[in-house]
Amino acid sequence: MLNETLSQHQLNQWHDQQAYNACECAVTITERAWGRAPAPFVFFLTGSGGRKEQSVRSDQDHGIIFWGKDEEQAYFQYLGEQITHQLEKAGYPRCEGKVMSNHAAWCQSYHAWFSQIDEWLEENSWSSLRYLLIFSDARALYGAKWLLDDIKNSLFQQIAPGSNAMKRLIENTAHRQRGINAIGQILTVSNGEYQGTFNFKEQVLYPVVHAARLWAFRENLQPTSTIERLGALQGKHSNTPQVPGWFEKALELRLKYCRRDKTEGIHFINPGYFTKSETALVKKWMTDGARFMRKTEQQLLHECKKR
Amino acid sequence: MDEIFLMNNVFIIICFVLVLLMQGGFILLEAGSTRMKNAGHIAGKTIFTVGIASLVFWAVGYGFIYGEGNLFIGLSDFFYGDFTSEVDGLAGSVDFMFQLAFAAIALTIAFGGFAERAKLSAYIVFAVLFSAAVYPVVAHWIWGDGWLAGLGKQDFAGSTVVHLTGAMAALAATIVLKPRIGKYNKDGSANNLAGHNQVYTALGVLLLWVGWFGFNGGSTLGVEGAFFGYVSLTTQLAAAAGALAAMLTVMALTGKADVPTMLNGALAGLVAITASTAFVATWAAVVIGLIAGVLVYLSMLFFDKMKIDDPIFALSVHGVAGIWGTLSTGFFATPALAEMNGGQAGLLYGGGLAQLGVQFTGVAVSGIYAFVAAFIILKAMSAVLGGIRVSEEEELMGLDISEHGSYGYPENIREDEKFGA
């Protein structure tokens, strides 16, 4: 049962525990049906789970890497389906984009994953680059962590500073969505189910999430959470833009208000609920986050042009 | 025959054709702004209601406006058929045709408030009663020998007579008919029942914009002095400024350059300059258009907040911009142009509050009359016809199939559109 007073950090640990329990249960079911796993494997979380930024409710984003032959994929895909099923039973909806370990694209052998990464880089399309960004947030939760570490190391080395791949990733995450209108009001949804609310995740958190991820590629930073990425970046270079120090507070504020509404639209918050000081803070975060993203883009694209 | 007389008559007949073609603009504008399942209905009803407006205008409308009578109504020239007289230097029949086209436009504006939920029979009965008892009264007051004309009211081409009168009837209709199914949620939030074709809407606006040169330019009633050129110039500037102002306003406030709002801005600029086109300097035309563009967006938000469902934005485009346009001459009318076209100079030219007072009185009384008369007519129709709104099932099916038996888009209608909102 989810305790209503949990902090964001404790909430992430709770989500991790749910996912871990789902894995253990799924392994038992799979072993009963198919026998012991034919090779070592790792189950990883990605998306907000990978970044340790889940809200009260969250959908599923995960995958599996297994050491062994491609013929063993059926076993691990069955395991992936069991994990997906267990998570669904625990209240985590399936991912509409099918980023789940019961789908072949996200349940592959160690060697196939290397090829997959190369293929995505080579394809260079909007969707393949989006998959790369998702994968870069992957965090090992259950099993042989080294399998994931090897592949992520390889990926990060291929996204060299100033490379074309880096340029395309910057273009893919370019954020131009305004959060505040010309008279300083928070932009809200104008009609429909979420009328009068704004998407906290997209308007406040995402610019910083995207920028921190780009810096992680640039500096080969292994942590997956935005807070840890920002921490690792701080003081690394004199010429990096000023790193926002408020991200954790923003996650806590989101948690406070998404608990209050208890709606399905967990990322949509009515700004009318904020106190005066919270409104001022949120506006400052939006401006600050957009500036951080803009400066990140400018600096990293400048490196691309120099090469 | 006098060459100028001939040229004036040819010019006005061409302007009549331009104003009649504005109905094509309304067809595209309204069809594009509503859902696919009602497209054929919206387009088709415009044609037959122009027919009704024409017959009623011939029978009584023209006589109520321009006939010999009193300060409140004309009482001669019914069933018009004169081919010998001259009116304002035009053949009587030419003047009649030009005025008929304006009456039909006012009716089409009023039907904006009926969109997507009124019975076909309601359109027919209201077309007759509005064309006989609402529009001609206001038109007589301002353009005939009515009491507002006597006060020197400035309404060159009809911001009040045509646009505000139509819009106030549309307001009465939206109130009597109530919002469309699915427009508002239980918690009071509004849904965007988006129009099905922004290209149609944009083309409709362009067609209206072109037609407006007949509407305003033709209101000079002749070619002597080529004053229609100046009227066209102020018209063009106001429309341009309206589109720009609405686009910038919606971008500044929402972060998105909403296309329907920008289109409404162009129309609001046109509606606003309709009263003042012959009275104001070019810079003032730009200011009038800019203010109309800002007002139209704020007005759209206001009506949505008040839960007044106005699918075609008739209240904002023709009502609010019509009021602003009429009042604008009270501020911006120049002494030279006022002397040339009637009334007095505006506040900014030392004319004091006199003309502004007349404009305000004209807007208020005309607006109230049009609203009250239309409201009473609609309530009476509702009682007699057993309601003027289609059943819920018919509304969900769409008026194409429920009222006319065939779809405007038989191949393309979506399955969920056939029976769902």
Side-chain angles (χ1 to χ4, degrees):
Chain A
M1 191 66 185
L2 181 59
N3 184 333
E4 294 248 329
T5 61
L6 291 181
S7 68
Q8 179 70 44
H9 176 67
Q10 290 168 323
L11 178 66
N12 284 321
Q13 286 182 325
W14 186 85
H15 280 305
D16 278 2
Q17 190 59 51
Q18 299 302 304
Y20 194 88
N21 294 346
C23 286
E24 282 196 321
C25 188
V27 165
T28 307
I29 293 167
T30 307
E31 283 181 352
R32 215 176 286 149
W34 291 59
R36 287 181 68 82
F41 70 94
V42 63
F43 171 82
F44 62 83
L45 295 173
T46 184
S48 58
R51 294 193 306 273
K52 304 182 192 171
E53 289 160 14
Q54 281 163 296
S55 183
V56 177
R57 279 172 290 273
S58 177
D59 66 352
Q60 301 186 33
D61 290 297
H62 47 76
I64 285 177
I65 303 165
F66 56 90
W67 176 257
K69 298 173 195 154
D70 291 343
E71 295 84 71
E72 283 152 1
Q73 189 181 35
Y75 178 95
F76 290 102
Q77 223 176 309
Y78 180 83
L79 173 62
E81 177 53 41
Q82 295 313 312
I83 297 172
T84 304
H85 179 63
Q86 292 301 321
L87 284 171
E88 196 174 21
K89 271 194 349 189
Y92 297 87
R94 291 181 183 234
C95 169
E96 285 179 10
K98 298 186 170 57
V99 181
M100 292 182 296
S101 53
N102 60 337
H103 286 272
W106 290 90
C107 179
Q108 302 193 53
S109 74
Y110 179 78
H111 297 291
W113 265 110
F114 278 102
S115 309
Q116 177 72 81
I117 299 293
D118 290 344
E119 199 180 301
W120 280 339
L121 278 168
E122 201 174 312
E123 195 180 318
N124 199 22
S125 67
W126 186 88
S127 55
S128 64
L129 290 170
R130 187 44 58 104
Y131 290 140
L132 279 176
L133 292 169
I134 292 169
F135 187 77
S136 70
D137 290 342
R139 177 167 62 89
L141 184 84
Y142 185 99
K145 182 172 175 291
W146 63 271
L147 291 165
L148 177 64
D149 289 345
D150 279 3
I151 296 167
K152 280 186 71 175
N153 275 333
S154 163
L155 166 65
F156 276 54
Q157 275 163 19
Q158 291 188 71
I159 318 282
S163 64
N164 188 51
M166 175 63 96
K167 180 170 170 273
R168 291 288 291 128
L169 288 175
I170 296 166
E171 288 166 351
N172 194 282
T173 48
H175 187 83
R176 295 283 178 266
Q177 185 78 35
R178 286 172 55 194
I180 302 171
N181 72 12
I183 53 172
Q185 295 169 319
I186 295 173
L187 286 171
T188 56
V189 180
S190 55
N191 47 52
E193 194 182 350
Y194 301 123
Q195 187 179 4
T197 68
F198 76 107
N199 190 326
F200 193 92
K201 186 175 175 180
E202 284 195 0
Q203 290 170 237
V204 179
L205 304 179
Y206 266 6
V208 182
V209 168
H210 290 321
R213 190 191 293 112
L214 290 172
W215 280 109
F217 280 122
R218 167 70 176 74
E219 301 294 333
N220 199 7
L221 307 174
Q222 290 307 311
T224 56
S225 98
T226 302
I227 293 167
E228 287 165 1
R229 282 170 171 169
L230 294 174
L233 183 63
Q234 206 137 31
K236 190 132 190 160
H237 283 294
S238 56
N239 60 347
T240 50
Q242 193 177 356
V243 173
W246 44 262
F247 195 79
E248 194 167 1
K249 283 185 194 154
L251 290 174
E252 293 290 351
L253 189 72
R254 178 185 65 171
L255 195 54
K256 176 179 168 186
Y257 286 102
C258 74
R259 274 184 183 138
R260 178 173 173 157
D261 255 11
K262 298 183 190 307
T263 59
E264 287 301 311
I266 47 173
H267 303 301
F268 291 88
I269 296 176
N270 187 336
Y273 293 161
F274 291 148
T275 63
K276 214 170 173 181
S277 61
E278 284 170 344
T279 305
L281 264 182
V282 169
K283 287 184 193 174
K284 185 184 168 298
W285 292 343
M286 284 182 185
T287 313
D288 201 30
R291 189 187 305 120
F292 181 53
M293 183 63 200
R294 194 172 56 249
K295 293 206 168 200
T296 299
E297 274 175 45
Q298 284 169 353
Q299 196 165 327
L300 300 186
L301 279 174
H302 183 64
E303 289 179 356
C304 298
K305 281 180 194 151
K306 276 203 302 195
R307 277 172 66 109
Chain B
M1 188 179 278
D2 178 14
E3 282 175 7
I4 287 293
F5 177 79
L6 193 61
M7 282 179 70
N8 283 347
N9 281 283
V10 170
F11 173 64
I12 295 302
I13 276 292
I14 290 170
C15 289
F16 154 71
V17 172
L18 279 172
V19 179
L20 187 63
L21 260 182
M22 286 171 73
Q23 296 290 348
F26 278 113
I27 286 174
L28 286 169
L29 172 74
E30 293 186 16
S33 304
T34 50
R35 288 164 293 178
M36 223 174 193
K37 61 187 178 183
N38 299 314
H41 160 80
I42 289 276
K45 67 85 186 154
T46 306
I47 299 297
F48 80 74
T49 54
V50 167
I52 294 172
S54 303
L55 293 172
V56 176
F57 192 79
W58 163 73
V60 295
Y62 186 85
F64 283 153
I65 300 170
Y66 297 106
E68 298 282 328
N70 53 44
L71 292 175
F72 300 97
I73 196 80
L75 291 167
S76 66
D77 297 309
F78 300 124
F79 299 97
Y80 192 86
D82 192 352
F83 55 88
T84 57
S85 69
E86 278 188 34
V87 182
D88 296 329
L90 297 170
S93 55
V94 170
D95 182 61
F96 175 91
M97 294 302 283
F98 189 54
Q99 302 303 336
L100 179 154
F102 282 68
I105 293 283
L107 178 64
T108 301
I109 293 167
F111 282 144
F114 284 55
E116 300 200 291
R117 59 212 193 278
K119 285 179 183 172
L120 195 67
S121 56
Y123 280 100
I124 296 168
V125 178
F126 189 78
V128 173
L129 298 176
F130 176 87
S131 301
V134 183
Y135 175 79
V137 174
V138 178
H140 177 77
W141 291 353
I142 297 171
W143 286 348
D145 290 327
W147 65 281
L148 283 169
L151 290 178
K153 170 127 188 337
Q154 295 166 333
D155 188 9
F156 192 71
S159 281
T160 300
V161 174
V162 180
H163 296 281
L164 182 61
T165 302
M168 294 312 280
L171 174 62
T174 58
I175 291 170
V176 174
L177 283 163
K178 299 193 170 57
R180 291 166 292 171
I181 295 171
K183 175 63 187 173
Y184 297 104
N185 301 315
K186 278 182 184 166
D187 63 3
S189 58
N191 295 314
N192 181 19
L193 303 184
H196 83 281
N197 193 327
Q198 286 189 355
V199 179
Y200 277 8
T201 310
L203 280 172
V205 170
L206 183 67
L207 199 47
L208 285 167
W209 189 329
V210 171
W212 231 280
F213 293 110
F215 201 94
N216 285 6
S219 294
T220 59
L221 299 178
V223 297
E224 287 163 288
F227 187 60
F228 60 83
Y230 184 79
V231 164
S232 301
L233 171 60
T234 52
T235 300
Q236 181 74 2
L237 291 175
L244 188 67
M247 177 70 105
L248 292 177
T249 306
V250 71
M251 273 178 74
L253 294 179
T254 70
K256 299 284 182 195
D258 183 56
V259 172
T261 302
M262 180 273 293
L263 296 173
N264 285 339
L267 289 179
L270 288 164
V271 169
I273 202 64
T274 296
S276 49
T277 179
F279 296 101
V280 299
T282 46
W283 69 266
V286 174
V287 173
I288 289 166
L290 287 172
I291 293 174
V294 175
L295 281 178
V296 80
Y297 176 63
L298 299 180
S299 164
M300 286 159 66
L301 293 182
F302 170 77
F303 285 119
D304 224 20
K305 203 171 176 64
M306 299 301 291
K307 296 195 174 41
I308 293 174
D309 183 16
D310 179 20
I312 320 289
F313 307 107
L315 310 181
S316 303
V317 169
H318 301 279
V320 173
I323 291 170
W324 160 238
T326 308
L327 294 178
S328 71
T329 67
F331 294 103
F332 299 111
T334 71
L337 289 167
E339 193 183 337
M340 189 173 156
N341 296 299
Q344 299 170 47
L347 186 63
L348 297 184
Y349 288 90
L353 294 170
Q355 190 61 44
L356 190 59
V358 171
Q359 297 302 103
F360 180 80
T361 307
V363 160
V365 177
S366 304
I368 291 168
Y369 171 76
F371 175 78
V372 172
F375 190 83
I376 292 169
I377 288 170
L378 288 162
K379 279 290 185 188
M381 281 169 54
S382 191
V384 173
L385 298 173
I388 56 171
R389 183 166 174 158
V390 293
S391 70
E392 283 185 48
E393 187 182 7
E394 288 168 329
E395 190 176 335
L396 291 171
M397 275 182 199
L399 276 71
D400 279 7
I401 199 74
S402 68
E403 293 290 90
H404 305 278
S406 61
Y407 283 112
Y409 297 94
E411 285 86 11
N412 296 332
I413 195 86
R414 295 200 319 258
E415 281 303 313
D416 60 329
E417 279 279 287
K418 283 182 183 172
F419 299 108

